[in-house]
Amino acid sequence: MIRTMTIEDYEGVYSLWKKIKGFGLRSVDDSREGIERFLKRNPTISVVAEEDGRIVGGILCGHDGRRGCLYHVCVDEGYRRRGIGKAMVVKAMEALNQEEISKVSLIAFTENDVGNAFWNTIGWTERMDLNYYDFVLNKENITAFNEQ
C-alpha cells in the first residue's frame, strides 16, 4: 500500500534508511524534529510504501511553489523490482500535480548505480547542462553514510 507519510512513520522510515547501503543521513535534517518540520511544510506529498505491516519504501517530497524535489527515495532491498519505487514516485508526482507544480528534480549520488539505473529506466533525464552547488549554513548538520 502506498500512502502519504506522516510523522508517526518516522521510526519505520528511519529504520529503513539505516538499512540502505551507501545512504546518507544528516544529523539535523533527518532527525525526528527535522523530518517533522519538513512534513509540516509539505504535509501531503511525501509517501511511504507499507507491506507486511512495516514500511518498505519511502520518499520525502517537497516543493517551493515552483519546483518539486524528491529526497531519500528508497525501497528495502528485499522488496525491490516489484514496482514499489515507481508506484511511490507516481503517487508523489500526482500530489505535486495537485499543488500545480510543473517540474520535479532529484539528486542521485554518482556512485548509486542501483538508483541511477532506476531513474533512467522510469524515464527521468540526467541533466548535463548545469552544475549543482551547496552552501552549508549549519555545520552541525553532518552527513553520515551507511556502510552495510
Side-chain angles (χ1 to χ4, degrees):
M1 173 176 70
I2 310 298
R3 62 173 176 76
T4 301
M5 182 187 298
T6 68
I7 193 58
E8 287 76 26
D9 296 315
Y10 178 77
E11 286 76 19
V13 171
Y14 192 81
S15 176
L16 173 62
W17 292 341
K18 294 290 284 182
K19 289 175 56 177
I20 306 290
K21 183 181 183 205
F23 203 88
L25 291 170
R26 293 191 179 273
S27 57
V28 175
D29 292 344
D30 296 323
S31 68
R32 182 179 181 89
E33 295 78 19
I35 298 303
E36 186 168 28
R37 188 172 48 253
F38 184 88
L39 293 176
K40 281 183 180 176
R41 181 174 170 83
N42 305 280
T44 62
I45 53 181
S46 293
V47 299
V48 292
E50 203 172 18
E51 196 166 311
D52 301 329
R54 67 196 248 307
I55 292 175
V56 299
I59 298 177
L60 287 177
C61 183
H63 72 80
D64 59 10
R66 178 178 170 143
R67 179 177 299 213
C69 194
L70 305 183
Y71 306 91
H72 286 2
V73 178
C74 65
V75 174
D76 184 296
E77 193 171 342
Y79 292 82
R80 292 181 184 163
R81 306 193 61 78
R82 295 173 39 190
I84 293 170
K86 185 174 181 180
M88 289 191 309
V89 170
V90 167
K91 176 110 172 135
M93 290 173 43
E94 286 172 348
L96 286 168
N97 195 43
Q98 287 285 323
E99 299 203 19
E100 300 181 21
I101 301 301
S102 301
K103 192 167 190 174
V104 186
S105 63
L106 63 90
I107 297 168
F109 291 113
T110 55
E111 295 181 10
N112 181 354
D113 295 331
V114 171
N116 285 300
F118 170 76
W119 296 114
N120 284 313
T121 300
I122 67 168
W124 285 59
T125 304
E126 182 178 1
R127 300 274 312 254
M128 301 299 222
D129 62 330
L130 54 80
N131 295 316
Y132 178 81
Y133 295 91
D134 271 340
F135 189 90
V136 177
L137 293 173
N138 182 349
K139 298 200 188 299
E140 304 286 318
N141 195 22
I142 306 300
T143 302
F145 292 94
N146 298 338
E147 295 184 25
Q148 301 167 336

